[in-house]
Amino acid sequence: MDALRVTGAAEPLLRPSAGGGGHPRLRVRTHAQGEGGAGRGAAAEGDAAFSWAPVILPFLFPALGGLLFGYDIGATSGATISVQSADLSGTTWFNLSSVQLGLVASGSLYGALGGSILAYRIADFLGRRIELVTAAALYILGALVTGFAPNFVILIIGRILYGIGIGLAMHGAPLYIAETSPSQIRGTLISLKELFIVLGILIGYLVGSLEIDNVGGWRYMFGFGTPIAAIMAIGMWTLPPSPRWLLLRAVQGKGPMEDNKKKAIQSLRALRGRSASEKVLADDVEDTIVSIKAAYAGQEGEGNIWEVFEGASLKAFTIGGGLVLFQQITGQPSVLYYAASILQTAGFSAASDAARVAILIGLFKLLMTGVAVLKVDDLGRRPLLIGGVGGIALSLFLLAAYYKILNNFPFVAVGALLLYVGAYQVSFGPISWLMVSEIFPLRTRGRGISLAVLTNFGSNALVTFAFSPLQEFLGPANIFFLFGAIAVLSLVFVILNVPETKGLSLEEIESKILK
């Protein structure tokens, strides 16, 4: 999961590139650009050549926040085996109940839920850069507390601290990348950030496979994120603040205009390299101020949070909120967090064997994510969603059948997991959040996306926590049959409620689909 939430007046939104041939990718627009008030700065940025060298680090360091989110998912898969093993845990409190094991797996998600609420309150005050520095500090603190935890309670506290870092990073990273990237490659970079999350999952699986046979290996699995988070923290500290955030604060009267304009020019110079002239930078700053003023004035009447549940906004929330809800309650968190455990029961009795097969699943997930990024604007949202969700339902019924009648054929479980991962990555994985970013009306877009983020993290944490107790109560066959039945319901929901938005502008979506 990667969620993008918009809170600033002229902060960027994801939208599909409309029409035309060539390489399909996601493009980014601002409210002001979409409403015709961008001025010459946006056009100049779109036409001007750019240098790749100054772009790499402003993308890489925020993207590490997504990688560390993915790493937690992958590492938890092996750590849940290690921490409850009498031989491998290295503790006297290894005999965890199903509820305790669920808390270990979902603790970071509850922290992420709290972090996303915290981001809603303080992110615009801190700014994208400091928000990501704070996220990195929480990653470090959470990983260290978890890795050195002397008892179960401290372990959960560490998981929650790490999760708060996830919530802040998942808000700040896409915004910083979008606000500091040249418009020509902005969509490509945001798409690549999604790949960093999947790469993190793969690294988590890899570290889990290396440490799974070592006593106390779970400590290293959880703690390995510390050096990566330290690199993120140092890197973000050396980067300039977002120029658009500086100017937004000035327009809102929360910072001195002339001082923030000078700081914005300095940030732009650092982000664009030495080749940019002083006049071009100054002109871009002035045009951005005009753009932000236009968008900010247009959003002064943005409704309160209850307006999300009225009229066109309610229809949008039904579509967007429904997608991110079904994204989680079809079992996605369980399959990722418990992949190694599932593979163990599938016949890979050694923990190391299960962890190595999980690496294969991570590689396949990375590959299918790339396929989705390339094809979403060619094939459209609905065909990918319908085909992918149908594949998810089939894979879950195959897992149920394996546990019920096909338990002598472990390749069925492996094949079903691969089908699930592939189907998810071409449907719910990337498309749910793309649809969420497109579907809300301008008036309630920020608050609507915020509610979708909370729905995502809340349902993710609930399903991850509930999987272990439900599996113990119902048995694996019945739990996967339950997820399969929910997947069939989600397929019906997609067919009946989710529109095709390929090639439509945000204004066309609002006028043609939501009215």
Side-chain angles (χ1 to χ4, degrees), residues 201-212:
I201 294 173
L202 180 59
I203 294 173
Y205 285 152
L206 178 61
V207 173
S209 72
L210 294 175
E211 294 292 338
I212 195 70

Side-chain angles (χ1 to χ4, degrees), residues 62-284:
L64 289 179
L67 185 143
L68 286 164
F69 174 36
Y71 175 79
D72 181 69
I73 295 173
T76 301
S77 176
T80 52
I81 295 176
S82 176
V83 75
Q84 63 176 339
S85 168
D87 298 324
L88 299 176
S89 69
T91 71
T92 59
W93 41 273
F94 60 85
N95 191 21
L96 301 179
S97 68
S98 59
V99 172
Q100 289 175 317
L101 186 62
L103 285 174
V104 173
S106 63
S108 63
L109 294 174
Y110 286 110
L113 181 62
S116 64
I117 296 172
L118 186 64
Y120 181 81
R121 294 293 184 184
I122 69 170
D124 279 343
F125 170 73
L126 292 178
R128 321 306 181 214
R129 172 176 163 268
I130 299 301
E131 182 182 5
L132 288 168
V133 171
T134 305
L138 286 164
Y139 276 143
I140 294 171
L141 180 61
L144 290 176
V145 170
T146 304
F148 288 102
N151 55 55
F152 176 77
V153 173
I154 301 300
L155 173 63
I156 298 304
I157 290 173
R159 298 288 290 142
I160 291 173
L161 288 172
Y162 192 97
I164 296 173
I166 291 174
L168 293 178
M170 289 301 96
H171 174 263
L175 290 180
Y176 187 89
I177 293 171
E179 291 181 0
T180 59
S181 301
S183 60
Q184 303 97 314
I185 58 167
R186 195 174 287 153
T188 300
L189 293 179
I190 292 175
S191 301
L192 285 175
K193 188 192 72 64
E194 301 300 316
L195 290 179
F196 264 64
I197 296 176
V198 179
L199 179 62
I201 294 173
L202 180 59
I203 294 173
Y205 285 152
L206 178 61
V207 173
S209 72
L210 294 175
E211 294 292 338
I212 195 70
D213 287 329
N214 296 330
V215 176
W218 61 272
R219 297 185 183 275
Y220 296 97
M221 296 178 204
F222 284 134
F224 183 78
T226 302
I228 301 175
I231 294 172
M232 175 186 169
I234 295 170
M236 287 307 308
W237 189 261
T238 61
L239 289 177
S242 162
R244 181 171 292 277
W245 173 77
L246 288 168
L247 298 175
L248 177 62
R249 297 291 288 178
V251 168
Q252 292 174 330
K254 298 176 181 178
M257 177 63 75
E258 290 304 317
D259 286 350
N260 280 24
K261 284 168 63 174
K262 291 177 182 177
K263 292 177 182 177
I265 291 174
Q266 292 173 353
S267 294
L268 281 173
R269 184 182 295 109
L271 293 165
R272 296 187 182 181
R274 297 180 181 275
S275 59
S277 71
E278 193 75 18
K279 184 179 186 306
V280 169
L281 296 178
D283 285 346
D284 282 350

Side-chain angles (χ1 to χ4, degrees), residues 202 205-206 343 348 353-367 414-415 418 421:
L202 180 59
Y205 285 152
L206 178 61
L343 290 167
F348 298 89
D353 291 339
R356 290 188 185 104
V357 177
I359 294 175
L360 173 64
I361 293 175
L363 284 169
F364 187 63
K365 184 178 178 70
L366 188 68
L367 173 65
V414 177
L418 289 174
V421 168

Side-chain angles (χ1 to χ4, degrees), residues 24 67 139 147 165 201 255 385 396-397 424 474 482:
L67 185 143
Y139 276 143
I201 294 173
L385 277 172
L396 290 167
F397 287 132
Y424 178 86
L474 297 175
L482 174 62

